[in-house]
Amino acid sequence: MRLFCNYFLPSKKLTALTLLPLAYNAQLLANDTPPAASTFVPVKITAPVGNDFDWLQLTSLEILKGDIKTLYDDKLEFDSDELGVLVIDWDDVKILQSKGIVSVGFTDLTTKTGRLQVQNGKSYLDGVEFDPQHIMTLIAGEPTEANYWSSKISLGANFRQGNTDQIDYSAQAKVTRRTTESRFNADYLGNYTKTDGENTVNNHRINGHFDWFLSKQFYLRPVFAEYYKDPFLNIGSKITLGSGVGYNLIDTSKTELSISAGPAYTYTRFDQHEVGSSNTEGSGTFVLDTAFDTELSKSVDFNAQYRIQYGNQQSGGYSHHAMATFEVELTDMFDLDLSFVWDRTNNPRANADGTVPNANDYQFIVGFSIDM
């Protein structure tokens, strides 16, 4: 389950807000007639039966009762009383009304709390009308630290015994902390293979960055960092630390494309080195990072990342990390992930015996993941 929340302004004393009665929902389902303007004016009436639930009606006129979870990237998570957690495009929401307080993050990076009512292009928070197009995030209740975080873990393994004894495993993990004003991401990708008792693959990559949004599109990246290890590429450890800026080129309910760039410093410790050469190298670098995410269908997502790094020749010169993944939804919590990874170091450092590692590494990873 993905949970996001926002920093918020101190809430004012709440006023009474009329929730649409269940009988009204049934009438709307029958004739789909928009209510009169006076319907939206908060008045004190007896709460309808079933006021223990949030109510959702889709543009298809289907009505659901349950609990609002979160809205982010124009995706509403709604925990249906009968169907479980559903992820719904914001464009498919006709009516949404909360039973209690929700926290709404707006595109101007402010946050307000109150009872929410959305209907036919109009929105009200504690009876005050606002444009629903200005909603960026939404979560039920008051913000707590736990609601800022989400995570995903994907694991894949292959065990073979007979003429060849082989063990393969791969692991991917992602942790995100998201508020209206900021975003923190950390990713891990690791692969290990042992064939007939000999280690043949052993690489690990950890990336992290922190973004501070100045607008919905433009953000500062005060710090980003990467740790990489691959003895078979003669890299004992490679650490990159830098800062930069970024911009969201596309930000719709189905597709996101962002780009960021900035200067950095890279320190590399080589696993082996020839006689007379140093086993470490430091270099100023420039990093360009792009991320793409799109919804191909209701159950299939595609995302890709391409990171380019330019350093001096002694530290490897030009290098890149490219990864493309198809995420196939199996259940509300479990996905099948199909990933292709291409790593390249343009000028790999020679081993102690003078042999030069291959500049390219390719991987195809099949894993099962869980969202938390």
PDB file of all heavy atoms in Angstrom, residues 3-7 72-73 109 136-137 144-145 147-150 175-185 211 213 215-216 219 248 251 256:
ATOM      1  N   LEU A   3       1.441   5.014   0.814  1.00  0.00           N
ATOM      2  CA  LEU A   3       0.879   6.061   1.653  1.00  0.00           C
ATOM      3  C   LEU A   3       1.726   7.302   1.534  1.00  0.00           C
ATOM      4  O   LEU A   3       2.943   7.260   1.656  1.00  0.00           O
ATOM      5  CB  LEU A   3       0.829   5.609   3.115  1.00  0.00           C
ATOM      6  CG  LEU A   3      -0.107   4.433   3.420  1.00  0.00           C
ATOM      7  CD1 LEU A   3      -0.005   4.077   4.880  1.00  0.00           C
ATOM      8  CD2 LEU A   3      -1.537   4.797   3.066  1.00  0.00           C
ATOM      9  N   PHE A   4       1.086   8.445   1.288  1.00  0.00           N
ATOM     10  CA  PHE A   4       1.802   9.707   1.194  1.00  0.00           C
ATOM     11  C   PHE A   4       1.052  10.737   2.032  1.00  0.00           C
ATOM     12  O   PHE A   4      -0.153  10.650   2.230  1.00  0.00           O
ATOM     13  CB  PHE A   4       1.875  10.204  -0.254  1.00  0.00           C
ATOM     14  CG  PHE A   4       2.610   9.272  -1.164  1.00  0.00           C
ATOM     15  CD1 PHE A   4       1.920   8.334  -1.900  1.00  0.00           C
ATOM     16  CD2 PHE A   4       3.987   9.329  -1.265  1.00  0.00           C
ATOM     17  CE1 PHE A   4       2.579   7.473  -2.738  1.00  0.00           C
ATOM     18  CE2 PHE A   4       4.655   8.475  -2.105  1.00  0.00           C
ATOM     19  CZ  PHE A   4       3.956   7.553  -2.835  1.00  0.00           C
ATOM     20  N   CYS A   5       1.795  11.713   2.512  1.00  0.00           N
ATOM     21  CA  CYS A   5       1.134  12.773   3.269  1.00  0.00           C
ATOM     22  C   CYS A   5       1.903  14.062   3.082  1.00  0.00           C
ATOM     23  O   CYS A   5       2.875  14.122   2.363  1.00  0.00           O
ATOM     24  CB  CYS A   5       1.035  12.378   4.743  1.00  0.00           C
ATOM     25  SG  CYS A   5      -0.159  13.371   5.645  1.00  0.00           S
ATOM     26  N   ASN A   6       1.475  15.126   3.768  1.00  0.00           N
ATOM     27  CA  ASN A   6       2.015  16.434   3.514  1.00  0.00           C
ATOM     28  C   ASN A   6       2.212  17.198   4.809  1.00  0.00           C
ATOM     29  O   ASN A   6       1.568  16.936   5.814  1.00  0.00           O
ATOM     30  CB  ASN A   6       1.061  17.256   2.638  1.00  0.00           C
ATOM     31  CG  ASN A   6       0.473  16.407   1.556  1.00  0.00           C
ATOM     32  OD1 ASN A   6       1.183  15.982   0.672  1.00  0.00           O
ATOM     33  ND2 ASN A   6      -0.826  16.124   1.638  1.00  0.00           N
ATOM     34  N   TYR A   7       3.120  18.190   4.771  1.00  0.00           N
ATOM     35  CA  TYR A   7       3.139  19.168   5.843  1.00  0.00           C
ATOM     36  C   TYR A   7       1.832  19.940   5.794  1.00  0.00           C
ATOM     37  O   TYR A   7       1.234  20.100   4.747  1.00  0.00           O
ATOM     38  CB  TYR A   7       4.322  20.122   5.640  1.00  0.00           C
ATOM     39  CG  TYR A   7       5.654  19.446   5.735  1.00  0.00           C
ATOM     40  CD1 TYR A   7       6.520  19.438   4.644  1.00  0.00           C
ATOM     41  CD2 TYR A   7       6.044  18.821   6.910  1.00  0.00           C
ATOM     42  CE1 TYR A   7       7.757  18.812   4.730  1.00  0.00           C
ATOM     43  CE2 TYR A   7       7.275  18.201   6.998  1.00  0.00           C
ATOM     44  CZ  TYR A   7       8.125  18.205   5.923  1.00  0.00           C
ATOM     45  OH  TYR A   7       9.344  17.603   6.008  1.00  0.00           O
ATOM     46  N   TYR A  72      -2.270  10.613  -4.998  1.00  0.00           N
ATOM     47  CA  TYR A  72      -0.984  11.131  -5.427  1.00  0.00           C
ATOM     48  C   TYR A  72      -0.784  10.781  -6.890  1.00  0.00           C
ATOM     49  O   TYR A  72      -1.155   9.689  -7.323  1.00  0.00           O
ATOM     50  CB  TYR A  72       0.163  10.561  -4.582  1.00  0.00           C
ATOM     51  CG  TYR A  72       1.495  11.175  -4.937  1.00  0.00           C
ATOM     52  CD1 TYR A  72       1.770  12.497  -4.614  1.00  0.00           C
ATOM     53  CD2 TYR A  72       2.443  10.435  -5.618  1.00  0.00           C
ATOM     54  CE1 TYR A  72       2.966  13.074  -4.957  1.00  0.00           C
ATOM     55  CE2 TYR A  72       3.656  11.008  -5.963  1.00  0.00           C
ATOM     56  CZ  TYR A  72       3.914  12.324  -5.636  1.00  0.00           C
ATOM     57  OH  TYR A  72       5.102  12.903  -5.997  1.00  0.00           O
ATOM     58  N   ASP A  73      -0.181  11.700  -7.655  1.00  0.00           N
ATOM     59  CA  ASP A  73       0.006  11.498  -9.094  1.00  0.00           C
ATOM     60  C   ASP A  73      -1.312  11.167  -9.777  1.00  0.00           C
ATOM     61  O   ASP A  73      -1.373  10.323 -10.682  1.00  0.00           O
ATOM     62  CB  ASP A  73       1.023  10.386  -9.374  1.00  0.00           C
ATOM     63  CG  ASP A  73       2.438  10.817  -9.027  1.00  0.00           C
ATOM     64  OD1 ASP A  73       2.684  12.032  -8.991  1.00  0.00           O
ATOM     65  OD2 ASP A  73       3.285   9.934  -8.810  1.00  0.00           O
ATOM     66  N   LEU A 109       1.748  24.211  -3.229  1.00  0.00           N
ATOM     67  CA  LEU A 109       2.556  23.625  -2.163  1.00  0.00           C
ATOM     68  C   LEU A 109       2.066  23.974  -0.766  1.00  0.00           C
ATOM     69  O   LEU A 109       2.804  23.828   0.208  1.00  0.00           O
ATOM     70  CB  LEU A 109       4.040  24.014  -2.306  1.00  0.00           C
ATOM     71  CG  LEU A 109       4.686  23.679  -3.658  1.00  0.00           C
ATOM     72  CD1 LEU A 109       6.165  24.016  -3.632  1.00  0.00           C
ATOM     73  CD2 LEU A 109       4.466  22.224  -4.036  1.00  0.00           C
ATOM     74  N   MET A 136      -3.223  18.282  -5.356  1.00  0.00           N
ATOM     75  CA  MET A 136      -2.044  17.506  -5.743  1.00  0.00           C
ATOM     76  C   MET A 136      -1.937  16.214  -4.946  1.00  0.00           C
ATOM     77  O   MET A 136      -1.634  15.158  -5.493  1.00  0.00           O
ATOM     78  CB  MET A 136      -0.769  18.333  -5.570  1.00  0.00           C
ATOM     79  CG  MET A 136       0.466  17.660  -6.155  1.00  0.00           C
ATOM     80  SD  MET A 136       1.881  18.769  -6.344  1.00  0.00           S
ATOM     81  CE  MET A 136       2.314  19.088  -4.640  1.00  0.00           C
ATOM     82  N   THR A 137      -2.192  16.277  -3.649  1.00  0.00           N
ATOM     83  CA  THR A 137      -2.160  15.094  -2.801  1.00  0.00           C
ATOM     84  C   THR A 137      -3.348  15.118  -1.847  1.00  0.00           C
ATOM     85  O   THR A 137      -3.925  16.175  -1.568  1.00  0.00           O
ATOM     86  CB  THR A 137      -0.864  15.009  -1.976  1.00  0.00           C
ATOM     87  OG1 THR A 137      -0.756  16.163  -1.143  1.00  0.00           O
ATOM     88  CG2 THR A 137       0.358  14.915  -2.872  1.00  0.00           C
ATOM     89  N   THR A 144       0.816  12.121   9.776  1.00  0.00           N
ATOM     90  CA  THR A 144       1.755  11.527  10.714  1.00  0.00           C
ATOM     91  C   THR A 144       2.989  11.095   9.933  1.00  0.00           C
ATOM     92  O   THR A 144       2.931  10.896   8.720  1.00  0.00           O
ATOM     93  CB  THR A 144       1.142  10.306  11.429  1.00  0.00           C
ATOM     94  OG1 THR A 144       0.829   9.294  10.454  1.00  0.00           O
ATOM     95  CG2 THR A 144      -0.120  10.676  12.189  1.00  0.00           C
ATOM     96  N   GLU A 145       4.105  10.925  10.610  1.00  0.00           N
ATOM     97  CA  GLU A 145       5.357  10.583   9.941  1.00  0.00           C
ATOM     98  C   GLU A 145       5.245   9.277   9.157  1.00  0.00           C
ATOM     99  O   GLU A 145       5.793   9.142   8.063  1.00  0.00           O
ATOM    100  CB  GLU A 145       6.491  10.481  10.968  1.00  0.00           C
ATOM    101  CG  GLU A 145       7.856  10.184  10.383  1.00  0.00           C
ATOM    102  CD  GLU A 145       8.354  11.258   9.435  1.00  0.00           C
ATOM    103  OE1 GLU A 145       7.968  12.429   9.604  1.00  0.00           O
ATOM    104  OE2 GLU A 145       9.133  10.916   8.521  1.00  0.00           O
ATOM    105  N   ASN A 147       2.839   8.152   7.522  1.00  0.00           N
ATOM    106  CA  ASN A 147       2.131   8.332   6.252  1.00  0.00           C
ATOM    107  C   ASN A 147       3.004   8.945   5.160  1.00  0.00           C
ATOM    108  O   ASN A 147       2.604   8.968   3.999  1.00  0.00           O
ATOM    109  CB  ASN A 147       0.900   9.222   6.470  1.00  0.00           C
ATOM    110  CG  ASN A 147      -0.161   8.530   7.280  1.00  0.00           C
ATOM    111  OD1 ASN A 147      -0.278   7.315   7.248  1.00  0.00           O
ATOM    112  ND2 ASN A 147      -0.932   9.291   8.032  1.00  0.00           N
ATOM    113  N   TYR A 148       4.165   9.463   5.537  1.00  0.00           N
ATOM    114  CA  TYR A 148       5.051  10.037   4.528  1.00  0.00           C
ATOM    115  C   TYR A 148       5.762   8.960   3.706  1.00  0.00           C
ATOM    116  O   TYR A 148       6.260   9.239   2.635  1.00  0.00           O
ATOM    117  CB  TYR A 148       6.131  10.905   5.184  1.00  0.00           C
ATOM    118  CG  TYR A 148       5.632  12.125   5.921  1.00  0.00           C
ATOM    119  CD1 TYR A 148       6.369  12.656   6.972  1.00  0.00           C
ATOM    120  CD2 TYR A 148       4.452  12.758   5.567  1.00  0.00           C
ATOM    121  CE1 TYR A 148       5.941  13.788   7.656  1.00  0.00           C
ATOM    122  CE2 TYR A 148       4.019  13.883   6.242  1.00  0.00           C
ATOM    123  CZ  TYR A 148       4.761  14.392   7.284  1.00  0.00           C
ATOM    124  OH  TYR A 148       4.326  15.512   7.950  1.00  0.00           O
ATOM    125  N   TRP A 149       5.844   7.740   4.232  1.00  0.00           N
ATOM    126  CA  TRP A 149       6.736   6.723   3.677  1.00  0.00           C
ATOM    127  C   TRP A 149       6.001   5.661   2.874  1.00  0.00           C
ATOM    128  O   TRP A 149       4.878   5.287   3.196  1.00  0.00           O
ATOM    129  CB  TRP A 149       7.514   6.042   4.802  1.00  0.00           C
ATOM    130  CG  TRP A 149       8.440   6.960   5.531  1.00  0.00           C
ATOM    131  CD1 TRP A 149       8.139   7.756   6.603  1.00  0.00           C
ATOM    132  CD2 TRP A 149       9.820   7.202   5.252  1.00  0.00           C
ATOM    133  NE1 TRP A 149       9.231   8.467   7.003  1.00  0.00           N
ATOM    134  CE2 TRP A 149      10.296   8.148   6.189  1.00  0.00           C
ATOM    135  CE3 TRP A 149      10.713   6.702   4.291  1.00  0.00           C
ATOM    136  CZ2 TRP A 149      11.611   8.599   6.197  1.00  0.00           C
ATOM    137  CZ3 TRP A 149      12.019   7.150   4.305  1.00  0.00           C
ATOM    138  CH2 TRP A 149      12.460   8.088   5.242  1.00  0.00           C
ATOM    139  N   SER A 150       6.663   5.163   1.842  1.00  0.00           N
ATOM    140  CA  SER A 150       6.205   3.985   1.104  1.00  0.00           C
ATOM    141  C   SER A 150       7.431   3.195   0.692  1.00  0.00           C
ATOM    142  O   SER A 150       8.552   3.726   0.638  1.00  0.00           O
ATOM    143  CB  SER A 150       5.383   4.382  -0.126  1.00  0.00           C
ATOM    144  OG  SER A 150       6.200   5.032  -1.077  1.00  0.00           O
ATOM    145  N   VAL A 175      12.617   2.884  -1.354  1.00  0.00           N
ATOM    146  CA  VAL A 175      11.984   3.559  -0.220  1.00  0.00           C
ATOM    147  C   VAL A 175      11.777   5.016  -0.602  1.00  0.00           C
ATOM    148  O   VAL A 175      12.693   5.658  -1.140  1.00  0.00           O
ATOM    149  CB  VAL A 175      12.847   3.455   1.050  1.00  0.00           C
ATOM    150  CG1 VAL A 175      12.200   4.232   2.199  1.00  0.00           C
ATOM    151  CG2 VAL A 175      13.050   2.007   1.449  1.00  0.00           C
ATOM    152  N   THR A 176      10.575   5.536  -0.341  1.00  0.00           N
ATOM    153  CA  THR A 176      10.246   6.910  -0.703  1.00  0.00           C
ATOM    154  C   THR A 176       9.590   7.620   0.472  1.00  0.00           C
ATOM    155  O   THR A 176       8.731   7.045   1.143  1.00  0.00           O
ATOM    156  CB  THR A 176       9.292   6.952  -1.909  1.00  0.00           C
ATOM    157  OG1 THR A 176       9.901   6.308  -3.019  1.00  0.00           O
ATOM    158  CG2 THR A 176       8.960   8.394  -2.297  1.00  0.00           C
ATOM    159  N   ARG A 177      10.017   8.839   0.712  1.00  0.00           N
ATOM    160  CA  ARG A 177       9.324   9.725   1.658  1.00  0.00           C
ATOM    161  C   ARG A 177       8.857  10.946   0.866  1.00  0.00           C
ATOM    162  O   ARG A 177       9.666  11.661   0.294  1.00  0.00           O
ATOM    163  CB  ARG A 177      10.241  10.172   2.801  1.00  0.00           C
ATOM    164  CG  ARG A 177       9.534  11.041   3.853  1.00  0.00           C
ATOM    165  CD  ARG A 177      10.542  11.542   4.892  1.00  0.00           C
ATOM    166  NE  ARG A 177       9.884  12.254   5.987  1.00  0.00           N
ATOM    167  CZ  ARG A 177       9.599  13.547   5.985  1.00  0.00           C
ATOM    168  NH1 ARG A 177       9.895  14.293   4.919  1.00  0.00           N
ATOM    169  NH2 ARG A 177       9.009  14.103   7.029  1.00  0.00           N
ATOM    170  N   ARG A 178       7.530  11.170   0.823  1.00  0.00           N
ATOM    171  CA  ARG A 178       6.970  12.202  -0.050  1.00  0.00           C
ATOM    172  C   ARG A 178       6.042  13.116   0.723  1.00  0.00           C
ATOM    173  O   ARG A 178       5.139  12.662   1.424  1.00  0.00           O
ATOM    174  CB  ARG A 178       6.202  11.540  -1.202  1.00  0.00           C
ATOM    175  CG  ARG A 178       5.693  12.537  -2.237  1.00  0.00           C
ATOM    176  CD  ARG A 178       6.848  13.149  -3.005  1.00  0.00           C
ATOM    177  NE  ARG A 178       6.397  13.848  -4.198  1.00  0.00           N
ATOM    178  CZ  ARG A 178       6.085  15.126  -4.252  1.00  0.00           C
ATOM    179  NH1 ARG A 178       6.125  15.873  -3.163  1.00  0.00           N
ATOM    180  NH2 ARG A 178       5.710  15.679  -5.384  1.00  0.00           N
ATOM    181  N   THR A 179       6.291  14.408   0.629  1.00  0.00           N
ATOM    182  CA  THR A 179       5.383  15.411   1.145  1.00  0.00           C
ATOM    183  C   THR A 179       5.066  16.373   0.010  1.00  0.00           C
ATOM    184  O   THR A 179       5.567  16.234  -1.105  1.00  0.00           O
ATOM    185  CB  THR A 179       5.995  16.180   2.331  1.00  0.00           C
ATOM    186  OG1 THR A 179       7.010  17.057   1.834  1.00  0.00           O
ATOM    187  CG2 THR A 179       6.617  15.229   3.349  1.00  0.00           C
ATOM    188  N   THR A 180       4.245  17.372   0.293  1.00  0.00           N
ATOM    189  CA  THR A 180       3.946  18.363  -0.734  1.00  0.00           C
ATOM    190  C   THR A 180       5.196  19.128  -1.152  1.00  0.00           C
ATOM    191  O   THR A 180       5.388  19.431  -2.330  1.00  0.00           O
ATOM    192  CB  THR A 180       2.895  19.359  -0.212  1.00  0.00           C
ATOM    193  OG1 THR A 180       1.757  18.647   0.255  1.00  0.00           O
ATOM    194  CG2 THR A 180       2.473  20.323  -1.306  1.00  0.00           C
ATOM    195  N   GLU A 181       6.084  19.415  -0.205  1.00  0.00           N
ATOM    196  CA  GLU A 181       7.240  20.258  -0.480  1.00  0.00           C
ATOM    197  C   GLU A 181       8.497  19.490  -0.853  1.00  0.00           C
ATOM    198  O   GLU A 181       9.397  20.054  -1.475  1.00  0.00           O
ATOM    199  CB  GLU A 181       7.556  21.129   0.747  1.00  0.00           C
ATOM    200  CG  GLU A 181       6.456  22.106   1.123  1.00  0.00           C
ATOM    201  CD  GLU A 181       5.469  21.509   2.111  1.00  0.00           C
ATOM    202  OE1 GLU A 181       5.562  20.282   2.363  1.00  0.00           O
ATOM    203  OE2 GLU A 181       4.608  22.244   2.624  1.00  0.00           O
ATOM    204  N   SER A 182       8.605  18.215  -0.472  1.00  0.00           N
ATOM    205  CA  SER A 182       9.880  17.528  -0.643  1.00  0.00           C
ATOM    206  C   SER A 182       9.681  16.064  -1.000  1.00  0.00           C
ATOM    207  O   SER A 182       8.590  15.504  -0.858  1.00  0.00           O
ATOM    208  CB  SER A 182      10.729  17.640   0.631  1.00  0.00           C
ATOM    209  OG  SER A 182      10.091  16.957   1.703  1.00  0.00           O
ATOM    210  N   ARG A 183      10.789  15.441  -1.430  1.00  0.00           N
ATOM    211  CA  ARG A 183      10.768  14.025  -1.802  1.00  0.00           C
ATOM    212  C   ARG A 183      12.144  13.432  -1.519  1.00  0.00           C
ATOM    213  O   ARG A 183      13.173  14.010  -1.854  1.00  0.00           O
ATOM    214  CB  ARG A 183      10.436  13.882  -3.287  1.00  0.00           C
ATOM    215  CG  ARG A 183      10.582  12.472  -3.854  1.00  0.00           C
ATOM    216  CD  ARG A 183      10.191  12.453  -5.318  1.00  0.00           C
ATOM    217  NE  ARG A 183      11.041  13.328  -6.117  1.00  0.00           N
ATOM    218  CZ  ARG A 183      10.740  13.708  -7.355  1.00  0.00           C
ATOM    219  NH1 ARG A 183       9.616  13.331  -7.926  1.00  0.00           N
ATOM    220  NH2 ARG A 183      11.575  14.498  -8.033  1.00  0.00           N
ATOM    221  N   PHE A 184      12.153  12.246  -0.891  1.00  0.00           N
ATOM    222  CA  PHE A 184      13.382  11.494  -0.681  1.00  0.00           C
ATOM    223  C   PHE A 184      13.206  10.107  -1.272  1.00  0.00           C
ATOM    224  O   PHE A 184      12.217   9.422  -1.007  1.00  0.00           O
ATOM    225  CB  PHE A 184      13.709  11.386   0.814  1.00  0.00           C
ATOM    226  CG  PHE A 184      14.802  10.384   1.109  1.00  0.00           C
ATOM    227  CD1 PHE A 184      16.130  10.702   0.863  1.00  0.00           C
ATOM    228  CD2 PHE A 184      14.489   9.129   1.604  1.00  0.00           C
ATOM    229  CE1 PHE A 184      17.132   9.777   1.119  1.00  0.00           C
ATOM    230  CE2 PHE A 184      15.479   8.198   1.864  1.00  0.00           C
ATOM    231  CZ  PHE A 184      16.814   8.523   1.627  1.00  0.00           C
ATOM    232  N   ASN A 185      14.173   9.687  -2.108  1.00  0.00           N
ATOM    233  CA  ASN A 185      14.144   8.363  -2.716  1.00  0.00           C
ATOM    234  C   ASN A 185      15.457   7.643  -2.431  1.00  0.00           C
ATOM    235  O   ASN A 185      16.537   8.257  -2.486  1.00  0.00           O
ATOM    236  CB  ASN A 185      13.971   8.449  -4.239  1.00  0.00           C
ATOM    237  CG  ASN A 185      12.537   8.716  -4.652  1.00  0.00           C
ATOM    238  OD1 ASN A 185      11.623   8.566  -3.848  1.00  0.00           O
ATOM    239  ND2 ASN A 185      12.341   9.121  -5.883  1.00  0.00           N
ATOM    240  N   ASP A 211      14.918  15.895  -2.873  1.00  0.00           N
ATOM    241  CA  ASP A 211      14.439  16.991  -3.719  1.00  0.00           C
ATOM    242  C   ASP A 211      13.586  17.947  -2.902  1.00  0.00           C
ATOM    243  O   ASP A 211      12.777  17.514  -2.067  1.00  0.00           O
ATOM    244  CB  ASP A 211      13.599  16.456  -4.887  1.00  0.00           C
ATOM    245  CG  ASP A 211      14.389  15.522  -5.786  1.00  0.00           C
ATOM    246  OD1 ASP A 211      15.610  15.720  -5.907  1.00  0.00           O
ATOM    247  OD2 ASP A 211      13.786  14.593  -6.361  1.00  0.00           O
ATOM    248  N   PHE A 213      10.873  20.971  -3.687  1.00  0.00           N
ATOM    249  CA  PHE A 213      10.097  21.543  -4.777  1.00  0.00           C
ATOM    250  C   PHE A 213       9.896  23.045  -4.578  1.00  0.00           C
ATOM    251  O   PHE A 213       9.426  23.494  -3.534  1.00  0.00           O
ATOM    252  CB  PHE A 213       8.736  20.853  -4.876  1.00  0.00           C
ATOM    253  CG  PHE A 213       8.815  19.474  -5.467  1.00  0.00           C
ATOM    254  CD1 PHE A 213       9.052  18.376  -4.654  1.00  0.00           C
ATOM    255  CD2 PHE A 213       8.679  19.274  -6.829  1.00  0.00           C
ATOM    256  CE1 PHE A 213       9.139  17.106  -5.188  1.00  0.00           C
ATOM    257  CE2 PHE A 213       8.766  18.008  -7.378  1.00  0.00           C
ATOM    258  CZ  PHE A 213       8.994  16.919  -6.560  1.00  0.00           C
ATOM    259  N   SER A 215       8.190  24.567  -7.187  1.00  0.00           N
ATOM    260  CA  SER A 215       6.879  24.575  -7.830  1.00  0.00           C
ATOM    261  C   SER A 215       6.537  23.119  -8.113  1.00  0.00           C
ATOM    262  O   SER A 215       7.316  22.213  -7.779  1.00  0.00           O
ATOM    263  CB  SER A 215       6.896  25.387  -9.137  1.00  0.00           C
ATOM    264  OG  SER A 215       7.678  24.736 -10.127  1.00  0.00           O
ATOM    265  N   LYS A 216       5.388  22.884  -8.736  1.00  0.00           N
ATOM    266  CA  LYS A 216       5.008  21.509  -9.025  1.00  0.00           C
ATOM    267  C   LYS A 216       5.972  20.871 -10.016  1.00  0.00           C
ATOM    268  O   LYS A 216       6.177  19.659 -10.002  1.00  0.00           O
ATOM    269  CB  LYS A 216       3.580  21.468  -9.595  1.00  0.00           C
ATOM    270  CG  LYS A 216       3.042  20.061  -9.781  1.00  0.00           C
ATOM    271  CD  LYS A 216       1.614  20.062 -10.293  1.00  0.00           C
ATOM    272  CE  LYS A 216       1.096  18.631 -10.467  1.00  0.00           C
ATOM    273  NZ  LYS A 216      -0.286  18.600 -11.002  1.00  0.00           N
ATOM    274  N   TYR A 219      12.387  21.655  -9.142  1.00  0.00           N
ATOM    275  CA  TYR A 219      12.860  21.310  -7.812  1.00  0.00           C
ATOM    276  C   TYR A 219      14.381  21.412  -7.734  1.00  0.00           C
ATOM    277  O   TYR A 219      15.105  21.262  -8.730  1.00  0.00           O
ATOM    278  CB  TYR A 219      12.413  19.896  -7.406  1.00  0.00           C
ATOM    279  CG  TYR A 219      12.794  18.792  -8.364  1.00  0.00           C
ATOM    280  CD1 TYR A 219      14.011  18.118  -8.249  1.00  0.00           C
ATOM    281  CD2 TYR A 219      11.926  18.404  -9.381  1.00  0.00           C
ATOM    282  CE1 TYR A 219      14.356  17.104  -9.130  1.00  0.00           C
ATOM    283  CE2 TYR A 219      12.252  17.378 -10.264  1.00  0.00           C
ATOM    284  CZ  TYR A 219      13.472  16.735 -10.128  1.00  0.00           C
ATOM    285  OH  TYR A 219      13.810  15.718 -10.995  1.00  0.00           O
ATOM    286  N   ASN A 248      10.142  18.478 -13.905  1.00  0.00           N
ATOM    287  CA  ASN A 248       9.173  17.501 -14.379  1.00  0.00           C
ATOM    288  C   ASN A 248       8.677  17.931 -15.763  1.00  0.00           C
ATOM    289  O   ASN A 248       7.894  18.870 -15.882  1.00  0.00           O
ATOM    290  CB  ASN A 248       7.995  17.387 -13.410  1.00  0.00           C
ATOM    291  CG  ASN A 248       8.396  16.808 -12.078  1.00  0.00           C
ATOM    292  OD1 ASN A 248       9.289  15.962 -11.990  1.00  0.00           O
ATOM    293  ND2 ASN A 248       7.743  17.242 -11.011  1.00  0.00           N
ATOM    294  N   ASP A 251       3.818  15.533 -16.429  1.00  0.00           N
ATOM    295  CA  ASP A 251       3.229  15.156 -15.140  1.00  0.00           C
ATOM    296  C   ASP A 251       1.721  15.058 -15.318  1.00  0.00           C
ATOM    297  O   ASP A 251       0.987  16.014 -15.087  1.00  0.00           O
ATOM    298  CB  ASP A 251       3.595  16.173 -14.065  1.00  0.00           C
ATOM    299  CG  ASP A 251       3.182  15.722 -12.672  1.00  0.00           C
ATOM    300  OD1 ASP A 251       2.672  14.588 -12.547  1.00  0.00           O
ATOM    301  OD2 ASP A 251       3.368  16.487 -11.711  1.00  0.00           O
ATOM    302  N   GLU A 256       4.716  10.241 -16.329  1.00  0.00           N
ATOM    303  CA  GLU A 256       5.636  11.183 -15.718  1.00  0.00           C
ATOM    304  C   GLU A 256       6.992  11.073 -16.398  1.00  0.00           C
ATOM    305  O   GLU A 256       7.467   9.973 -16.682  1.00  0.00           O
ATOM    306  CB  GLU A 256       5.814  10.903 -14.221  1.00  0.00           C
ATOM    307  CG  GLU A 256       4.573  11.118 -13.382  1.00  0.00           C
ATOM    308  CD  GLU A 256       4.834  10.788 -11.922  1.00  0.00           C
ATOM    309  OE1 GLU A 256       5.958  11.054 -11.445  1.00  0.00           O
ATOM    310  OE2 GLU A 256       3.937  10.248 -11.278  1.00  0.00           O
TER     311      GLU A 256
END
